Amino acid sequence: MIKPILKRPLEYRNVPEDNDEDFYVAITAVIGTQDSTGADLFYFYAASPKRLQRLFEDEGVFWGKDLLIMNKFDSRIIEEEVIKMLEECARETWEEVAQAINRFLFWEYDKR
């Protein structure tokens, strides 16, 4: 069974400085296996309900894949949630693992 892990700390862009209850943060996860030197990139966003409400007011519609919704920005909680998700994505092959992760995060090789 192939078990995915974070190979490096999560990388954050647009981290809130003042208001940790109104945010939309881009995040990159470098994910591989314990015994491999390589890894794949997966992308997602963490957003607050407050920011999503503003997006709804401006746009009226919003897609939700690759999105973690949380009340307050907390990188520790984000990492814990990613690790829990990865534990559920263990499979027989890396391709199956990556496809399982891709249900939650955007895989760099996704053919959208």
Side-chain angles (χ1 to χ4, degrees), residues 2 6 16-17 20 22 24-25 27 36 54 62 66 68-69 78 81-82 91 94 100-101 107-108:
I2 296 175
L6 286 173
E17 291 182 21
D20 64 352
D22 184 6
Y24 190 77
V25 178
I27 304 167
S36 72
R54 285 192 357 198
F62 187 83
D66 313 326
L68 177 64
I69 302 168
I78 293 170
E81 290 300 314
V82 169
R91 301 288 191 277
W94 176 253
I101 297 168
W107 185 25
E108 67 178 311

Side-chain angles (χ1 to χ4, degrees), residues 3-4 9 14-15 22 24-25 28 31 36 48-49 59 62 65 70 73 79 85 89-90 92-93 100-101 109:
K3 298 176 182 178
N14 303 322
V15 175
D22 184 6
Y24 190 77
V25 178
T28 301
I31 300 172
S36 72
S48 65
E59 305 293 328
F62 187 83
K65 186 172 183 310
M70 54 195 311
F73 182 82
E79 184 171 335
M85 179 269 299
C89 292
E92 293 299 319
T93 69
I101 297 168
Y109 298 110

Side-chain angles (χ1 to χ4, degrees), residues 40-108:
D40 289 356
L41 301 177
F42 292 85
Y43 308 98
F44 66 105
Y45 296 91
S48 65
K50 186 180 232 178
R51 177 62 58 94
L52 293 176
Q53 181 61 41
R54 285 192 357 198
L55 290 170
F56 284 126
E57 290 169 0
D58 293 343
E59 305 293 328
V61 64
F62 187 83
W63 287 97
K65 186 172 183 310
D66 313 326
L67 179 65
L68 177 64
I69 302 168
M70 54 195 311
N71 284 323
K72 291 187 176 207
F73 182 82
D74 186 329
S75 61
R76 181 187 52 80
I77 292 173
I78 293 170
E79 184 171 335
E80 288 172 2
E81 290 300 314
V82 169
I83 290 169
K84 282 194 280 188
M85 179 269 299
L86 292 177
E87 290 171 357
E88 299 297 321
C89 292
R91 301 288 191 277
E92 293 299 319
T93 69
W94 176 253
E95 181 72 25
E96 292 172 321
V97 168
Q99 290 297 331
I101 297 168
N102 193 45
R103 291 179 302 156
F104 301 94
L105 313 179
F106 179 73
W107 185 25
E108 67 178 311

